[in-house]
Amino acid sequence: MERQLFDADHDAFRESVRAFCEKEIVPHHDSWEDAGIVPRELWTAAGGAGLLGFMMPEEYGGGGARDFRFNAVLIEELTRVRASGVGFTIHTDINSAYLLDYATPEQKARWLPAFCAGETISAIAMTEPGAGSDLQGIQTTARRDGDHYVLNGQKTFISNGILADLVIVVAKTDPAAGAQGISLIVVERGMPGFERGRNLDKIGLKAQDTAELFFDDVRVPVENLLGEEGKGFIYLMEKLPQERLTIAVVAAAACENMLEDTLRYVKDRKAFGRPIGSFQNSRFVLAELATETQIARVFVDRCIQELTAGTLTVAEAAMAKWWTTELQKKVVDRCLQLHGGYGFMTEYPIAKAYLDTRIQTIYGGTTEIMKEIIGRTLGI
């Protein structure tokens, strides 16, 4: 089924992204997985190629194209080459939206040029050891003291946590006010009291640096408040649908890639004198996966259109996130089974996909939380 989502500008951008991936990522990604982190030079190369600031205004060095279809192209091409350890999407899909909509002109002038150039790497710190999907349960505090906030607390599972120069921290500026007391405070590399813990050892996404962050009486200038004090929870609720759609875009593209890999494998691999793809069970399994993958693609593309138009709802984003990521788990499991023993060998792409897939139903809000969000919109 031909996609109707993209125009000539998106196609040209895809060619640029694909060329960058083949030259700058594919030859090195295995070594980055061994190291547990990508080099900063990759970020500056991506910035120079226009891959990090395409949504930002031209006056700050961006491309002036705030159109999520460009984000989708970048996501799909990174997924195509299995660049699961490259944290660009945290930067381009999540943090860009907060900075575009809530940063002051002074903050934009201060942060965005380096953001677009890849000289400043960003992260967002929501999750804590005792608070994941329940953001109202965070314990990190930011107490006003004159012209500064004094930040104390701990965050965990923070993507880009080791490399990040700019961290959007979710903190309570008024602990007694519940959700109305949450604010977004931007912490910069080098601020005294801001420390990073270890680079966490994960079962997948090995090249993606993921860290614990610690804040011990970090004095953050009031000028680093993002948006208005006490509106952080509202901002998070406004931007989480885009984050969840980003995860769904990854899932849909991953399903397509895994299916293509597996189709090639079952046509070449023989058992009992014939290709294993010719057995009825293989055909039925692949027919089911191909159908559901196509359904996922159509729905995700529709959600991309809705987000671009500003009409994507919280419930629709939740639907896309939970259904496509659960499908991704199903597809990788069935495809690995069709690979037989070779599917258990890490030299085969399906084995890496199996490990990288598992987080998809967890971060950005678990499947269970997505169902709760959808259920509430049904009046039950």
Side-chain angles (χ1 to χ4, degrees):
M1 185 179 295
E2 184 178 354
R3 299 172 73 183
Q4 304 294 324
L5 188 63
F6 304 111
D7 61 26
D9 289 339
H10 303 112
D11 293 338
F13 184 64
R14 186 181 296 277
E15 291 180 10
S16 176
V17 175
R18 184 166 294 186
F20 180 89
C21 289
E22 293 295 340
K23 179 183 178 183
E24 303 289 349
I25 295 178
V26 172
H28 312 293
H29 197 270
D30 287 348
S31 66
W32 298 339
E33 291 212 318
D34 291 339
I37 197 167
V38 303
R40 295 188 68 92
E41 291 76 14
L42 176 68
W43 285 82
T44 53
L51 305 190
L52 301 181
F54 52 84
M55 77 300 294
M56 295 301 186
E58 294 180 2
E59 63 190 286
Y60 303 118
R66 191 172 186 182
D67 175 349
F68 190 79
R69 290 174 294 177
F70 287 102
N71 300 67
V73 167
L74 179 61
I75 297 165
E76 290 173 2
E77 290 304 308
L78 290 171
T79 303
R80 186 184 66 83
V81 297
R82 305 177 188 86
S84 54
V86 177
F88 293 166
T89 55
I90 304 296
H91 195 77
T92 59
D93 299 350
I94 300 173
N95 294 340
S96 65
Y98 289 96
L99 295 174
L100 275 168
D101 288 345
Y102 309 131
T104 65
E106 182 276 330
Q107 289 172 334
K108 289 178 180 178
R110 183 154 48 104
W111 293 328
L112 294 192
F115 179 101
C116 295
E119 297 166 357
T120 288
I121 300 171
S122 67
I124 185 165
M126 302 184 201
T127 303
E128 298 183 359
S133 296
D134 178 18
L135 290 174
Q136 295 187 58
I138 64 167
Q139 298 299 310
T140 298
T141 59
R143 176 179 54 83
R144 182 73 180 263
D145 182 24
D147 293 333
H148 290 79
Y149 288 102
V150 180
L151 186 67
N152 282 282
Q154 177 182 352
K155 300 291 182 177
T156 193
F157 309 145
I158 307 307
S159 299
N160 293 347
I162 298 294
L163 288 173
D165 307 291
L166 201 71
V167 184
I168 301 172
V169 179
V170 181
K172 288 185 175 179
T173 45
D174 184 356
Q180 286 71 44
I182 293 176
S183 303
L184 304 182
I185 309 292
V186 179
V187 177
E188 300 179 60
R189 178 182 289 275
M191 288 183 170
F194 171 34
E195 302 290 341
R196 302 159 210 265
R198 60 195 175 96
N199 191 352
L200 300 172
D201 186 12
K202 310 179 296 294
I203 66 170
L205 307 184
K206 286 290 191 176
Q208 169 71 71
D209 63 299
T210 306
E212 300 169 308
L213 304 180
F214 302 93
F215 309 98
D216 183 12
D217 286 338
V218 182
R219 295 186 65 82
V220 184
V222 171
E223 289 77 14
N224 280 27
L225 173 69
L226 193 58
E228 296 181 39
E229 187 173 297
K231 291 192 175 180
F233 190 79
I234 294 172
Y235 299 154
L236 292 168
M237 294 305 101
E238 289 176 347
K239 298 308 175 190
L240 277 171
Q242 180 163 316
E243 177 180 351
R244 288 163 181 162
L245 181 57
T246 291
I247 297 169
V249 173
V250 171
C255 288
E256 291 170 341
N257 293 342
M258 292 185 293
L259 192 56
E260 290 174 7
D261 285 344
T262 304
L263 283 169
R264 283 193 294 268
Y265 181 82
V266 299
K267 290 173 183 177
D268 293 336
R269 175 70 173 169
K270 290 182 171 59
F272 304 103
R274 63 182 193 177
I276 62 173
S278 66
F279 292 101
Q280 185 183 66
N281 178 71
S282 299
R283 291 201 305 272
F284 280 14
V285 168
L286 291 166
E288 179 180 334
L289 299 181
T291 301
E292 292 182 318
T293 295
Q294 185 63 256
I295 292 168
R297 164 55 59 213
V298 172
F299 183 57
V300 168
D301 278 3
R302 174 60 184 272
C303 288
I304 293 171
Q305 289 177 312
E306 295 291 339
L307 181 65
T308 301
T311 56
L312 181 70
T313 69
V314 171
E316 288 167 342
M319 290 175 184
K321 199 273 180 184
W322 89 254
W323 197 83
T324 59
T325 57
E326 290 291 344
L327 176 64
Q328 185 181 353
K329 282 169 53 181
K330 174 182 176 180
V331 170
V332 74
D333 186 69
R334 301 284 177 84
C335 286
L336 190 149
Q337 185 71 20
L338 288 170
H339 278 73
Y342 288 103
F344 203 62
M345 302 297 110
T346 55
E347 64 192 87
Y348 279 75
I350 196 66
K352 171 175 159 47
Y354 189 86
L355 296 172
D356 288 345
T357 290
R358 192 59 190 87
I359 190 60
Q360 284 278 89
T361 59
I362 298 173
Y363 59 13
T366 63
T367 293
E368 293 75 18
I369 293 296
M370 296 302 98
K371 291 179 179 179
E372 180 64 23
I373 290 169
I374 297 162
R376 289 177 182 177
T377 68
L378 303 177
I380 53 176

